[in-house]
Amino acid sequence: MLSEKIKQNLKNIISKYEKKESAIISILHEIQKEKNYIEDSDISELAKLTELPYSKIKAVLTFYTMFNSKKVGKYHIQICRNISCHMAGAKKIEKYISEKLGIREGEVTKDLLFSYSTVECLGSCGTAPVIMINETYYENVDEKKIDEIIEKLKVAK
Amino acid sequence: MPKVIIDGKEFIAKENETVLNVAERNGIYIPRYCYHPALSIAGNCRMCLVEIEKMPKLQIACATTVTDGMVIHTQTEKVKKARQDVLEFLLLNHPLDCPICDQVGECYLQDYYMEYGLKKSRIDLKDKNRKPKRRDIGKHLILDNERCILCTRCVRFCEEVTKTSELFINSRGDHSFIDIKTEEKLDNDYSLNIADICPVGAFTSKDFRFKERVYRLSSTSSICLSCATGCKIKVQHNNGKIYRILPDPNIYTNTWICDNGRMSYKITAGPDRLTKSIIKSEEHHLNKAIIKLFDILKEAKEKNLKIAILLSDYLSIEDNFALYYLGFEILKTDLIYASKEKEQKIEDGILINKDKTPNSNAVSQISKLYGIKKYEDLKDCDLLIGFYDDIEKLNIPKNKSVALSYKADKEYDNLIAIKTYFETEGSFINWQYFLRKTAPSVSAPTDTISVYDLCLKISELFGYYPKEKELNKIFNELKYKTED
Amino acid sequence: MNILLNDNFDLKTYITNGGYNALKKSFTLKPEEIIEEVKKSGLRGRGGAGFPTGLKWSFIPKTKTQKYIVCNSDESEPGTFKDREIIHKNPHSIIEGMIIAGYAIGASKGYFYIRGEFAREARIMEKSIYEAKEAGYLGKNILKSGFDFDIVVVRGAGAYICGEETALLESIEGKQGKPRIKPPFPAVKGLYGCPTVINNVETLASVPYIVIYGGENYSKIGVEKSSGTKLFSVSGPVKKPGVYEIPLGLSFKTFFYDWLGGMKEGEELKAVIPGGSSVPVITAEEAMNTKLDYESLQKIGTMLGSGGMIIIPKSQCMVELLYVLARFYHHESCGQCTPCREGSGWIEKTLNKILNYKAKKQDLDLIVDISNNMMGRTICPLADALAMPVISFVQKFREEFESHIEGNCKICGK
């Protein structure tokens, strides 16, 4: 279900673009900001409201990997697994996070706060290993830093 | 007009023509999957790669516009290796479904493999990508994502031809697959064309599924009679049974056919096909039925009863004129009626005509030439002969009717079992005024008869033996177009 | 442009350091003159392709139709993190470069396409664009020149392929990022079918300097066919990883020891990927004997690329690394054309087997064969970007791969 805020904001977002269709990625980002994932029913609703074909919107949703089609944690941890982060110990970081939270890739913690996935190069290789939680970068991470970050997030509003 | 050289031969190309089109026009076939003449260019299959001098990399023929002096090679080692490699990539994750796949006999993968591939597989079966199979996509189609080579012909068809955009590519890379909204059904009126254009067995027709091997089918060119558009079709049959209809693409009338027209062959067989005539509620063999009908007509004539004849927009020119002859010359009745003129136009922007009958333009001409009355003028009669569909539409009392029919219907006392136009010839004039003929592909059930032959036999029983010239003179009187 | 600026990126700082003077000067020149200066400078595309920028601009037809400048800030090439640095430290240089480029080709609108993960950087750009607009450097009749220009920031959503020019345009238009068939090229038919120039962040950020000091002076930096400075983003176990601005032609040896401080304690140099994972790998020896410019690197069979330099130590197994790269390209392939779509998955699967000691002898030649069969036959160079690492890794470090096939690896510990 799209929120009222999104529905009211649609015209505004679309006005920034030269064609209605071009606003799709931006709108999907907005929807994801609210509940950290995008449901199929959101796409159906969006198709009706914008009068764009469902197929075009769903095609975009499934093509771009930042969009979550399945429910994720309130804080979705994305661990870079590409070359420089790999050399800097990304696998150890992944193992640590997985064991610390008690989940595997694709799963969500029982308190619904955390989930993780491995992603490709985040463009900050000089400060490897790098992780991204929702849309925030954390660079030069080690086990200690991860402990701090997770504790902070657990108590955050 | 640019001059190009392909494989050493010089050809004159049209302005802005692609290498693939110039070559094909001149008898040089370049293999391809994603290219289709009625759809936009995708350039994704990479099968049509050719060598063009002065260009370092191979170029795709479907998207390369020719320039004056271009020299193209389609048979060099480089090109042959490219085709072989592209085929290897296409077959890499393709399932070994041939034994159960309907596409066999018209499969681009099989055919090109034999022609250009012949490489042994270098991947273990267990390593092949798995994807959803046997998906019920709509009224007429089944989708097998594993067999799909992602040429996007189907996606482009839905976007560009039917403009309904149901299909899309879900995900990316080798995980991508053709998809549709979950509860939605792909049932726009042209969905079965997708099974035609799918070069592999990804989209298959539910109706044709598992019924017959393509290479056992014979093809007969004919026309569709589901509406006034009168699309040219190919009727495919084997051993006296029709299995499917395909469009016969042409520049005059149609590239595609609608799903309705595609299914029209079903009238030939099935539980409600009328295989024996019914006279006075009793079933009879053909000859007996004709005699009994003759008896009814003779009696009616002697008692001076009002006998009406309905001409039909559903029947051929030959059949209509024979009915007219029977009524006017033999039964000496002037109670002959035909439909009023119908509005004709393509009502969906593609093929389906507002006029759902195939022969209005011929019958309306016959009506004018011979002063035929209109259906609306029909008030009272004691006996009526007409085509079943017309009688049904006009709500004529069934006990007064002799219906010429393919369908059995217990409500009628008198039904004459006639041949369908899949079983006999018939001339029709479509909305563009083209005169075209159906051709029989299968034999009709033994005790059926064409309307023309029925009228002839009745005439003979009345002692008249009209010459063919007499019954065919109508063709000299009608106005129509023929294809160049 | 000075990369040693503080992380203080507001308009005031920029102007204090001479910002927007190049724009002012541009309006005193004719658009063709600016294109000439850029041509004279020898500036080449800094995103990876190295195409001469002035030449690219000159392809735009001189007609009075809608045209666009697009800044490619997709930066997803593994090992590359230099454009992010420019956004952090000098965002206005990009904006100024875009406006000047727009003026030079007659475009009234610019799009700043930034990868979705750079959310913070997108906000920085939006703030900077707002600042510039408020100060009159963007909008209608800029500095009373009669020239209108506006920039819109558009975010991606996680697709490396959108760094390819035409895939980027597809993404701005709101579609899946699948590269278009070329020709027609973007200069003729680009964004929304209009003539478009797409330039990398660093390329555009270099433009203000060229306008102020002149193309000839810019060409005096660097070496003959590789003029100017280049940002190198260095990662791997060196003492000082990070972003560096070097004069092109600098020897790798000097760069490695004097600038990067050499390897970290306990590590030894084995291999170098000089310009982002898509360029062929070179051995330590080859690296030590080469200079960092387009021609020198091409001569030894690799490329300058994006300048995303990855330093590989002896303690790193090459098989494992190549597997990581293959997995990346497979993940990022858009899936449009056959060789890349199927070949990338095949290579990853086979490398996985080699990595886990489950491969057959012929599997090593197989991945090289697949790579050769992919190259040059696709719509865009992603297939080549996978093929080149595979071929070069196997060519230069074959023993490590053969070792894995035989069932052991000293580095991996089996």
Side-chain angles (χ1 to χ4, degrees):
Chain A
M1 282 287 292
L2 295 176
S3 72
E4 277 312 308
K5 183 162 163 242
I6 296 274
K7 282 195 268 198
Q8 280 170 18
N9 217 2
L10 271 180
K11 267 212 192 87
N12 209 5
I13 302 173
I14 293 175
S15 66
K16 189 176 140 195
Y17 296 86
E18 298 185 43
K19 286 213 176 105
K20 206 169 36 170
E21 200 185 10
S22 307
I24 292 179
I25 295 177
S26 191
I27 297 172
L28 292 174
H29 272 304
E30 288 301 310
I31 300 174
Q32 182 153 296
K33 253 196 217 138
E34 291 193 336
K35 51 186 180 178
N36 226 4
Y37 80 117
I38 303 166
E39 291 175 278
D40 198 58
S41 55
D42 295 329
I43 305 296
S44 303
E45 222 184 314
L46 189 59
K48 279 207 197 82
L49 289 170
T50 57
E51 291 180 338
L52 289 166
Y54 168 95
S55 57
K56 294 248 155 88
I57 306 177
K58 189 75 191 264
V60 167
L61 174 75
T62 56
F63 181 86
Y64 294 96
T65 52
M66 271 185 83
F67 296 132
N68 303 318
S69 301
K70 282 200 311 208
K71 204 149 192 231
V72 294
K74 184 171 174 202
Y75 303 108
H76 185 57
I77 307 169
Q78 293 144 88
I79 309 163
C80 175
R81 63 182 194 184
N82 211 307
I83 185 167
S84 302
C85 289
H86 179 87
M87 286 198 288
K91 280 199 106 163
K92 275 215 199 94
I93 299 290
E94 187 196 341
K95 189 157 178 271
Y96 185 73
I97 291 175
S98 174
E99 282 169 4
K100 184 179 171 73
L101 297 173
I103 50 171
R104 285 188 302 225
E105 181 165 2
E107 295 174 347
V108 185
T109 53
K110 284 207 173 56
D111 55 7
L112 303 179
L113 279 181
F114 298 102
S115 57
Y116 82 88
S117 65
T118 54
V119 295
E120 299 297 347
C121 183
L122 290 170
S124 185
C125 323
T127 54
V130 174
I131 63 172
M132 184 169 92
I133 302 183
N134 292 351
E135 288 192 341
T136 309
Y137 275 43
Y138 295 91
E139 304 166 42
N140 286 316
V141 296
D142 52 26
E143 295 180 2
K144 185 157 163 268
K145 273 216 179 91
I146 291 171
D147 287 339
E148 286 169 16
I149 296 166
I150 291 186
E151 287 318 303
K152 246 201 190 134
L153 292 173
K154 273 196 181 145
V155 296
K157 279 275 161 269
Chain B
M1 305 287 260
K3 283 205 199 90
V4 299
I5 300 175
I6 308 178
D7 295 341
K9 297 203 198 79
E10 194 180 87
F11 302 112
I12 299 180
K14 301 190 191 135
E15 285 304 323
N16 292 324
E17 212 177 0
T18 61
V19 172
L20 188 136
N21 285 138
V22 181
E24 190 155 60
R25 228 175 5 92
N26 290 290
I28 298 174
Y29 183 81
I30 297 175
R32 82 297 293 262
Y33 292 95
C34 62
Y35 171 78
H36 189 280
L39 302 171
S40 65
I41 294 171
N44 59 46
C45 72
R46 314 311 284 179
M47 195 62 196
C48 68
L49 287 167
V50 291
E51 207 170 328
I52 300 181
E53 287 185 15
K54 295 205 195 109
M55 293 189 181
K57 290 197 273 193
L58 297 178
Q59 302 294 321
I60 45 175
C62 65
T64 305
T65 313
V66 298
T67 53
D68 193 37
M70 197 181 250
V71 183
I72 301 140
H73 301 279
T74 71
Q75 299 298 324
T76 60
E77 285 312 308
K78 229 174 150 188
V79 172
K80 288 189 181 155
K81 175 95 193 346
R83 288 176 184 168
Q84 212 182 33
D85 295 337
V86 168
L87 268 169
E88 181 175 37
F89 284 125
L90 283 168
L91 290 165
L92 187 75
N93 288 300
H94 194 77
L96 282 173
D97 278 1
C98 298
I100 57 163
C101 177
D102 291 317
Q103 201 76 11
V104 166
E106 54 188 14
C107 174
Y108 281 49
L109 279 175
Q110 280 188 341
D111 295 346
Y112 287 171
Y113 178 79
M114 294 310 291
E115 183 83 34
Y116 310 109
L118 295 172
K119 232 177 147 176
K120 258 190 100 176
S121 173
R122 298 195 283 176
I123 191 171
D124 291 332
L125 276 179
K126 61 172 168 56
D127 288 336
K128 287 189 184 238
N129 284 345
R130 304 306 310 271
K131 286 182 189 168
K133 292 176 88 69
R134 287 188 305 276
R135 294 173 66 186
D136 185 333
I137 286 290
K139 193 160 161 215
H140 294 292
L141 294 172
I142 301 238
L143 171 60
D144 187 315
N145 283 117
E146 257 180 16
R147 297 177 189 170
C148 172
I149 57 168
L150 291 163
C151 70
T152 67
R153 277 185 180 185
C154 54
V155 176
R156 283 176 281 146
F157 180 85
C158 292
E159 266 176 29
E160 298 161 18
V161 178
T162 59
K163 300 197 172 53
T164 43
S165 293
E166 298 100 323
L167 298 174
F168 63 98
I169 297 189
N170 189 317
S171 308
R172 66 182 191 214
D174 63 1
H175 299 299
S176 45
F177 60 100
I178 302 289
D179 203 10
I180 188 173
K181 187 169 174 202
T182 313
E183 312 78 43
E184 199 171 67
K185 291 291 165 199
L186 186 57
D187 57 4
N188 57 56
D189 295 317
Y190 297 85
S191 62
L192 275 166
N193 290 292
I194 294 173
D196 288 346
I197 60 175
C198 179
V200 299
F203 272 104
T204 49
S205 154
K206 274 188 196 170
D207 183 54
F208 183 61
R209 199 166 160 79
F210 298 153
K211 295 230 174 89
E212 182 56 280
R213 278 305 186 194
V214 163
Y215 48 78
R216 286 203 277 259
L217 295 174
S218 309
S219 209
T220 301
S221 291
S222 189
I223 49 171
C224 173
L225 305 178
S226 301
C227 74
T229 304
C231 295
K232 292 177 78 167
I233 58 176
K234 290 191 275 241
V235 181
Q236 305 215 314
H237 52 95
N238 181 34
N239 252 340
K241 191 168 166 212
I242 297 175
Y243 286 93
R244 63 177 188 180
I245 292 178
L246 301 178
D248 188 1
N250 59 89
I251 55 173
Y252 304 100
T253 305
N254 63 301
T255 307
W256 320 104
I257 52 169
C258 72
D259 291 348
N260 201 30
R262 214 182 272 262
M263 290 295 125
S264 61
Y265 77 90
K266 297 252 183 222
I267 54 170
T268 58
D272 63 348
R273 175 71 198 268
L274 184 66
T275 51
K276 283 203 176 55
S277 301
I278 314 276
I279 305 289
K280 290 200 177 131
S281 304
E282 268 181 39
E283 207 179 67
H284 295 284
H285 284 295
L286 183 64
N287 289 329
K288 197 81 178 289
I290 295 175
I291 294 171
K292 285 208 174 283
L293 177 62
F294 166 70
D295 288 338
I296 293 175
L297 291 171
K298 184 154 167 251
E299 195 186 325
K301 239 184 117 183
E302 282 162 3
K303 287 192 183 153
N304 259 320
L305 295 179
K306 292 197 209 129
I307 307 172
I309 305 278
L310 295 184
L311 298 189
S312 175
D313 289 348
Y314 292 99
L315 298 176
S316 68
I317 295 170
E318 296 89 341
D319 291 350
N320 270 300
F321 198 70
L323 277 171
Y324 168 77
Y325 178 86
L326 176 69
F328 192 75
E329 301 285 350
I330 310 296
L331 300 174
K332 301 280 194 249
T333 174
D334 65 344
L335 298 174
I336 305 177
Y337 303 89
S339 166
K340 67 168 183 250
E341 275 189 54
K342 296 192 177 100
E343 192 191 350
Q344 292 182 330
K345 63 172 187 180
I346 304 288
E347 62 180 7
D348 65 352
I350 310 172
L351 283 173
I352 297 176
N353 210 300
K354 191 161 184 223
D355 176 2
K356 304 284 184 249
T357 59
N359 217 5
S360 313
N361 287 344
V363 178
S364 58
Q365 285 188 63
I366 297 175
S367 295
K368 281 205 191 87
L369 288 165
Y370 289 85
I372 311 279
K373 301 189 199 356
K374 298 274 173 258
Y375 285 164
E376 288 79 59
D377 305 329
L378 173 64
K379 285 178 192 78
D380 205 24
C381 66
D382 303 300
L383 182 65
L384 179 138
I385 305 175
F387 181 61
Y388 176 84
D389 287 29
D390 295 318
I391 297 178
E392 283 281 295
K393 280 210 181 85
L394 294 170
N395 250 318
I396 293 159
K398 295 179 172 65
N399 55 358
K400 283 194 190 171
S401 312
V402 176
L404 310 166
S405 178
Y406 324 124
K407 262 173 74 175
D409 191 336
K410 290 200 185 70
E411 315 256 318
Y412 282 75
D413 296 343
N414 304 298
L415 284 170
I416 304 292
I418 56 171
K419 294 184 181 178
T420 68
Y421 294 103
F422 290 100
E423 298 149 342
T424 188
E425 275 184 2
S427 303
F428 294 82
I429 298 179
N430 82 338
W431 78 300
Q432 299 164 307
Y433 280 86
F434 282 114
L435 174 71
R436 294 187 180 126
K437 261 179 117 152
T438 64
S441 8
V442 292
S443 307
T446 337
D447 284 304
T448 56
I449 189 170
S450 73
V451 173
Y452 180 92
D453 285 338
L454 174 72
C455 296
L456 220 67
K457 287 233 154 51
I458 301 283
S459 302
E460 285 169 13
L461 287 170
F462 272 104
Y464 291 85
Y465 297 85
K467 292 207 178 57
E468 227 184 289
K469 246 192 345 192
E470 242 183 296
L471 293 175
N472 286 348
K473 70 169 177 172
I474 184 66
F475 285 99
N476 298 330
E477 300 167 11
L478 291 170
K479 284 202 169 61
Y480 53 81
K481 289 200 290 208
T482 48
E483 296 171 16
D484 309 316
Chain C
M1 183 212 2
N2 199 329
I3 205 64
L4 297 173
L5 282 175
N6 290 328
D7 220 40
N8 187 357
F9 48 71
D10 64 10
L11 180 60
K12 216 167 91 189
T13 312
Y14 189 61
I15 295 193
T16 311
N17 286 291
Y20 288 106
N21 283 335
L23 182 62
K24 290 189 185 121
K25 183 170 177 195
S26 297
F27 290 139
T28 67
L29 302 166
K30 290 201 206 88
E32 312 86 71
E33 291 176 305
I34 298 181
I35 298 181
E36 257 322 293
E37 285 306 309
V38 175
K39 274 190 174 160
K40 264 195 242 155
S41 75
L43 176 67
R44 294 166 71 158
R46 294 287 193 245
F51 192 84
T53 310
L55 189 60
K56 195 186 238 190
W57 290 11
S58 72
F59 287 153
I60 296 287
K62 305 280 182 282
T63 52
K64 284 215 181 315
T65 51
Q66 175 69 60
K67 300 175 208 165
Y68 297 100
I69 286 284
V70 173
C71 180
N72 185 344
S73 182
D74 191 60
E75 190 155 76
S76 304
E77 177 82 12
T80 316
F81 50 100
K82 59 175 180 77
D83 295 335
R84 184 163 169 255
E85 197 74 8
I86 303 174
I87 296 173
H88 287 170
K89 296 212 160 103
N90 208 350
H92 280 282
S93 65
I94 313 168
I95 295 172
E96 193 179 8
M98 272 182 92
I99 308 170
I100 296 172
Y103 175 70
I105 67 160
S108 62
K109 190 145 182 206
Y111 278 91
F112 189 86
Y113 183 87
I114 185 164
R115 64 177 292 180
E117 295 86 344
F118 282 176
R120 176 178 159 226
E121 288 72 19
R123 287 194 293 273
I124 294 174
M125 287 311 296
E126 286 189 324
K127 176 169 173 277
S128 308
I129 289 169
Y130 179 79
E131 281 184 319
K133 192 148 188 196
E134 289 287 289
Y137 298 115
L138 281 169
K140 299 243 182 290
N141 198 8
I142 299 170
L143 303 179
K144 297 204 175 76
S145 63
F147 178 63
D148 305 337
F149 195 75
D150 251 314
I151 303 177
V152 172
V153 174
V154 173
R155 286 178 71 199
Y160 162 72
I161 188 61
C162 289
E164 196 275 343
E165 286 190 343
T166 56
L168 195 154
L169 296 179
E170 289 286 293
S171 193
I172 294 179
E173 293 184 12
K175 302 179 237 173
Q176 295 183 326
K178 292 185 171 167
R180 299 174 182 170
I181 302 179
K182 295 184 277 209
F185 289 88
V188 171
K189 211 170 170 207
L191 187 62
Y192 300 118
C194 303
T196 308
V197 158
I198 301 127
N199 280 139
N200 172 259
V201 167
E202 191 187 343
T203 313
L204 287 167
S206 308
V207 169
Y209 181 100
I210 292 170
V211 171
I212 289 284
Y213 295 101
E216 208 183 309
N217 277 320
Y218 185 86
S219 72
K220 289 193 180 129
I221 310 167
V223 291
E224 197 202 327
K225 292 217 187 102
S226 303
S227 55
T229 60
K230 175 85 186 76
L231 292 186
F232 271 82
S233 53
V234 186
S235 59
V238 288
K239 285 220 176 72
K240 294 188 272 185
V243 181
Y244 295 88
E245 185 173 8
I246 66 160
L248 283 167
L250 181 68
S251 81
F252 173 83
K253 197 168 177 184
T254 312
F255 184 53
F256 181 71
Y257 288 114
D258 297 359
W259 298 52
L260 303 175
M263 299 297 283
K264 266 195 184 144
E265 235 23 85
E267 298 280 13
E268 272 180 81
L269 183 68
K270 177 159 81 174
V272 177
I273 300 178
S277 64
S278 306
V279 309
V281 69
I282 53 177
T283 62
E285 194 186 332
E286 289 176 307
M288 285 300 169
N289 287 313
T290 191
K291 293 198 168 59
L292 297 171
D293 61 79
Y294 292 99
E295 267 58 43
S296 302
L297 288 169
Q298 207 173 17
K299 229 186 339 179
I300 60 167
T302 184
M303 288 156 61
L304 190 89
S306 63
M309 184 180 284
I310 304 165
I311 304 290
I312 302 169
K314 284 203 175 137
S315 60
Q316 173 63 54
C317 170
M318 297 308 273
V319 181
E320 194 182 61
L321 221 52
L322 186 62
Y323 170 72
V324 167
L325 288 182
R327 183 178 58 184
F328 166 70
Y329 290 105
H330 175 219
H331 185 254
E332 299 296 335
S333 168
C334 75
Q336 215 187 166
C337 63
T338 315
C340 175
R341 178 183 70 238
E342 307 294 341
S344 59
W346 198 4
I347 291 177
E348 190 205 326
K349 276 192 185 121
T350 314
L351 269 168
N352 194 11
K353 282 195 200 160
I354 297 175
L355 181 63
N356 290 302
Y357 315 104
K358 294 201 174 96
K360 293 183 276 233
K361 223 167 162 232
Q362 56 262 43
D363 286 340
L364 189 55
D365 290 327
L366 176 64
I367 55 173
V368 176
D369 193 40
I370 299 169
S371 304
N372 283 317
N373 294 345
M374 282 165 64
M375 277 187 88
R377 296 194 179 142
T378 49
I379 297 177
C380 86
L382 192 143
D384 306 332
L386 167 57
M388 287 198 282
V390 172
I391 294 170
S392 60
F393 270 61
V394 172
Q395 186 188 20
K396 310 231 166 123
F397 300 95
R398 199 180 176 98
E399 338 75 53
E400 291 195 42
F401 288 88
E402 283 174 341
S403 185
H404 266 260
I405 291 181
E406 279 157 30
N408 51 61
C409 176
K410 284 196 215 102
I411 305 171
C412 295
K414 194 150 183 248

